[in-house]
Amino acid sequence: MKHTPPPTPKDLGCRRGDFSRKHYGSVELVSHASRTCNLDYAPGTWRRTDVHLENPEYHTRWFFKYFLGKGHILAKVATFRKSFVTLLHVFFLLLLSAQGTLKISLPYSPTKTLSVKSILSAMNMDRFERGPREILNPDIQKDLLVLEEQEGSVNFKFGVLFAKDGQLTDDEMFSNEMGSESFDKFLKLLGDSITLQGWAGYRGGLDTKNDTTGIKSIYTVYQGHELMFHVSTMLPYSKENKQQVERKRHIGNDIVTIVFQEGDDASSSFKPSMIRSHFTHIFALVRYNCQTDSYRLKFFSEESVPLFGPPLPSPPVFTDHHEFRDFLLVKLINGEKATLETPTFAQKRQRTLDMLIRSLYQDLMPDLHKNMLNRRSFSDVLPESPKSARKKEEARQAEFVRIGQALKLKTIVRGDAPTSLVTTGLCRKEPWESQSFCSTFPHEVVCADSWGQSLLVATDAAGVLLLDGEPRLIVFDKTLLVKQMHILEPQDLLITRADKGKDARLYVFRLSTLKRGLEEQQQARGKCDSRENKLEKTKGCHLYSINTHHGSELRIVAAIRNKLLLITRKRFEGFSAVGGTDSPVEEFQYIREICLCDPPAVMALVDGPTGENDNMICVGYKHQFDLINESTGDAYRLHHVDANRVNFVAAMDVYEDGEAGLLLCYNYICSYKKVCPFNGSTPMIQSNTSDFHFSWNQMPNAIVCAFPYILAFTTDSIEIRLVVNGNLVYTAVVPELQLAASRVSTKCFART
């Protein structure tokens, strides 16, 4: 299966793996000077980019989706240390606490029963003061549903303010009794005009009985979310009240507000300071150009709001109105979700969650001490009940299911949850939609890399094959056991790690030589034919890494037990002529050896800004990630892993505005660490405001960074998040998945 991520702008440096928080989101600050562009652009030069909801609710509302009202699988609930944990047939796990919700899933094996200790260990909860106890009261589902609803919005209310050209105060803007022809056209684009009296859907705080908040409003459903717009000209107007308190009461308490400003781009521009509101954190400024029938969009965000997508195009001009609607609605929803992560809202949410959990714990404490003869410990939840208690257990399960299904139906009818796949937008074609590259492949894939439009695959029993239609060409026979490979086409080079144990070595080949052998239908190379391609000092190598940002030279670091061997290859014009041989071995030189305390599990080369004594090697081993100075061998602690068991997944070098940063992936965690600035040969490693971390829903086996996305490949899914903040964008379920190769700026190959 071939996965093709969408192309990304060249100025973002995606082919070098660079990304920039300064450009991503194109959001100006309210309290600081705005970053604006005064150049005039011709509209219609932009095409649709990636417009996706971040952290979509149909992926994050796990309790509602996977637990509530499930008849074939019973949700088991336990309490300990004033936190709640829920198990679902050891597939999906939730940990609800005041700090938020942790969501992970574990692979299910019918032949292996997971112990509760191992499950809690996966959540870093293997140490606790009091053993968890099962809660038998089915009404706990109501409280857990309320807790989950505190985590994020399902439905949204947005303000819409009409401003005439030249209006500079909020009193003037709120006093407009009527809009204009272009404003009415914009409202029709946003949604449908609905009558409030008797309205049964999401009302967004508007009166649906007595018309005290107006007669009509604008409403729509977008990807499973109900959106109600508080339109200034539709809210009650009072001639006696110049401040229009009723209008400000609704729009002033919206987190995100759209300002539709009349006039051309040269007229007086809107500034956030014109609106007095302590609650509104994001303004979207919309202007309509009747001459080009286009919309121009601009966003202002309070400085505490985290970055959110999609990024504004340059120029931010939309001639396709349906594309503009998609972009605007997604940007508004993502903006409100991002605002909920600001300290102001996060602290309020944490206090609310803490209060709810403490109240639940206190209510349940008496019940936990009653009927101790019938009370089972949490470790007895997974096995089946004894026959003597089976009828009682079945009755209890039926009551759990009945109450859960009733709650689910009530939530859907109320409009607080996605009701169908049609409204969630899942039918829309996504840029990561897969396509078949090779329909049948009978061998186990060890590693692979793309070579032009073909795929070079190392197998377990058939050697190394070149897949490019039929027939499949054998490049190396099965005597050369390739375990790791990199194809560097600009350098006419194939790097491989072959064999195992003490016999393992690095081999280097010219691609042009291999290609000529295939064209001349020469016999496939074997281990004996590749002796002149060995890098001799690499004997016993169990892991290697190369620098992905090729400057003046290629760098390779080979791990031989707890020793690192640094190798470089100088860049020349016309590699194939160097040395006059088919083997490029003579072009490589051994720089130095560096000893570590333990063998590394993952490695990444980090380029310094000058390349003079400031290049680094990131290594992950034991319970830590360290940075090693290539020149001196000095080690610096980068990140400590606070877990009993560590499954290292990857260390990836990424660059932000030319400065080094690292994505460290282990267990369920992905952590971004900025390593900047370099101070001579010493990296400055300290807590930085740009650092962040998040948890994958499933433990990844491999990570691929393709700006603006980071993709986690698990045993049965591809989890796609934004590399700048870790927000979830999409989860593709692909059973029996194995990542074979990736070329981050173009494509990924996965075996299913």
Side-chain angles (χ1 to χ4, degrees), residues 24 85 265-266 479 505 570 610 620 707:
Y24 184 80
V85 74
D265 296 337
T479 61
R505 282 185 174 85
K570 295 295 183 180
T610 66
F707 187 88

Side-chain angles (χ1 to χ4, degrees), residues 76-78 132-136 368 375-376 378 381 396:
K76 298 291 184 180
V77 184
R133 314 294 297 183
E134 183 187 1
I135 298 172
L136 301 178
L368 292 175
R375 171 67 57 190
R376 296 178 298 171
F378 197 49
V381 172
R396 189 179 74 84

Side-chain angles (χ1 to χ4, degrees), residues 428-724:
R428 187 179 62 190
K429 187 176 181 180
E430 302 288 1
W432 40 74
E433 193 168 300
S434 62
Q435 64 185 75
S436 177
F437 177 79
C438 179
S439 57
T440 58
F441 191 70
H443 306 291
E444 188 70 26
V445 175
V446 178
C447 62
D449 202 356
S450 56
W451 185 359
Q453 297 302 313
S454 305
L455 185 66
L456 191 65
V457 181
T459 67
D460 58 340
V464 179
L465 307 178
L466 184 65
L467 304 185
D468 187 12
E470 298 290 350
R472 294 160 185 167
L473 304 176
I474 302 177
V475 181
F476 300 101
D477 64 28
K478 60 183 180 180
T479 61
L480 191 68
L481 304 175
V482 175
K483 303 295 184 182
Q484 192 178 352
M485 70 167 68
H486 282 87
I487 290 178
L488 306 176
E489 292 184 71
Q491 301 196 33
D492 190 30
L493 193 65
L494 167 65
I495 306 172
T496 66
R497 175 173 59 85
D499 288 312
K500 57 184 177 179
K502 294 181 179 179
D503 294 329
R505 282 185 174 85
L506 294 190
Y507 292 76
V508 289
F509 302 89
R510 295 196 199 281
L511 292 175
S512 56
T513 302
L514 298 178
K515 183 178 180 181
R516 186 170 64 250
L518 294 173
E519 291 173 347
E520 297 175 356
Q521 298 183 350
Q522 297 176 4
Q523 185 176 359
R525 285 173 175 254
K527 184 176 180 179
C528 293
D529 305 316
S530 305
R531 285 178 293 188
E532 65 177 10
N533 297 91
K534 293 179 183 177
L535 293 179
E536 291 297 336
K537 292 188 178 182
T538 61
K539 184 177 180 180
C541 173
H542 71 274
L543 181 69
Y544 79 89
S545 181
I546 67 172
N547 60 320
T548 55
H549 313 290
H550 308 307
S552 59
E553 62 183 14
L554 167 68
R555 306 196 331 275
I556 305 174
V557 59
I560 306 167
R561 294 181 295 278
N562 64 333
K563 180 179 67 176
L564 299 183
L565 178 62
L566 186 63
I567 308 167
T568 63
R569 183 202 195 199
K570 295 295 183 180
R571 297 197 60 157
F572 300 96
E573 293 295 331
F575 282 114
S576 58
V578 177
T581 65
D582 287 337
S583 173
V585 167
E586 297 300 324
E587 299 163 16
F588 289 84
Q589 55 183 340
Y590 305 94
I591 304 301
R592 63 182 53 85
E593 292 182 356
I594 300 172
C595 289
L596 305 177
C597 57
D598 282 276
V602 294
M603 296 190 302
L605 291 173
V606 184
D607 288 345
T610 66
E612 298 292 335
N613 301 322
D614 57 3
N615 290 328
M616 311 293 290
I617 307 169
C618 177
V619 294
Y621 48 42
K622 290 176 49 176
H623 286 72
Q624 66 200 56
F625 287 89
D626 285 353
L627 274 178
I628 312 296
N629 187 292
E630 286 186 7
S631 300
T632 64
D634 295 335
Y636 308 91
R637 179 67 55 84
L638 178 63
H639 182 71
H640 176 72
V641 179
D642 187 16
N644 288 343
R645 295 182 179 179
V646 185
N647 177 44
F648 289 101
V649 180
M652 304 180 65
D653 58 324
V654 289
Y655 284 78
E656 178 187 347
D657 305 321
E659 297 172 342
L662 284 159
L663 282 173
L664 309 176
C665 301
Y666 59 93
N667 295 354
Y668 288 86
I669 305 298
C670 186
S671 177
Y672 173 76
K673 294 286 185 179
K674 194 169 185 179
V675 187
C676 153
F678 284 84
N679 182 14
S681 61
T682 304
M684 300 294 290
I685 305 172
Q686 55 189 2
S687 180
N688 193 292
T689 55
S690 60
D691 292 352
F692 66 92
H693 73 276
F694 61 88
S695 296
W696 300 102
N697 290 334
Q698 294 191 59
M699 186 180 293
N701 298 319
I703 301 291
V704 173
C705 183
F707 187 88
Y709 305 115
I710 178 172
L711 292 75
F713 289 79
T714 73
T715 54
D716 58 6
S717 70
I718 306 174
E719 195 170 320
I720 302 164
R721 294 176 178 266
L722 293 174
V723 71
V724 293

